[in-house]
Amino acid sequence: IIFPNRRVLSGDYSPDGTFVVFSAVPAQTTDEDLFYSQPNGKEEQNLTTTPTVSERNPRIDPFARTVVFEQADASGASRIYLYSNTPLTSGPATGPALPGTPYAVGTDADPVISPDGGSVAFTRLTTTGNGALRTRDLHTRKAAGAATPVVIPPAPVSRGAPPCGSGGSLFVD
């Protein structure tokens, strides 16, 4: 355990294993920030230090050049950004909040970077559904900031994030 009793929410290893980037809630705050550290917990640095927004679900690109992550504001709007503050998606939340979560309909989440580092896949909440089930569209867009995301038709309902498997395969449950 490198960070005992911390409110760490998600993290990712660099491709060469020399560092980790993770999201956690700093002491005396309520919003997540992105942190950097060596795998043994040394040289920890808060990368974002933003008091009114949350950064979460960081994913490091295959060449360890940048990080893609979610940034959510107090309204429930969550968008995808490249580190340090380059938005890949934009716009306000367009519908009701998903109960028990920080997400509202129309928000973007769960980013992953393609194996070549040129594209980002992410989900967009489309309905709150019933119970744990909700619907999300899976989108892709060029990491360089293409004008319009490409929508990949979703399964009818999903329960969680689209993790990226070895070889860049996306798995959506």
Side-chain angles (χ1 to χ4, degrees):
I1 299 176
I2 61 171
F3 297 115
N5 300 316
R6 287 277 296 272
R7 292 173 21 191
V8 175
L9 303 167
S10 59
D12 197 18
Y13 251 105
S14 66
D16 64 2
T18 59
F19 66 93
V20 294
V21 174
F22 60 96
S23 63
V25 179
Q28 285 83 42
T29 68
T30 58
D31 295 310
E32 300 95 338
D33 283 337
L34 297 184
F35 291 83
Y36 161 96
S37 88
Q38 294 177 352
N40 62 4
K42 295 187 186 300
E43 296 189 26
E44 179 184 341
Q45 299 173 33
N46 186 328
L47 299 174
T48 53
T49 315
T50 50
T52 61
V53 297
S54 291
E55 292 89 9
R56 58 173 91 82
N57 293 326
R59 297 292 174 255
I60 301 169
D61 84 297
F63 308 103
R65 295 176 301 201
T66 192
V67 172
V68 66
F69 61 95
E70 299 172 31
Q71 187 179 77
D73 63 26
S75 75
S78 178
R79 299 293 171 222
I80 306 304
Y81 281 75
L82 282 175
Y83 184 77
S84 79
N85 200 23
T86 302
L88 291 180
T89 64
S90 63
T94 59
L98 182 61
T101 75
Y103 299 105
V105 170
T107 61
D108 302 328
D110 311 315
V112 292
I113 301 177
S114 64
D116 68 0
S119 297
V120 174
F122 59 94
T123 63
R124 179 168 290 155
L125 184 63
T126 56
T127 67
T128 57
N130 60 4
L133 299 178
R134 61 222 178 237
T135 59
R136 290 184 176 266
D137 289 338
L138 181 61
H139 292 251
T140 64
R141 81 172 309 140
K142 297 286 184 193
T148 306
V150 176
V151 179
I152 299 171
V157 291
S158 67
R159 284 182 171 58
C164 193
S166 63
S169 302
L170 288 172
F171 302 96
V172 180
D173 65 349

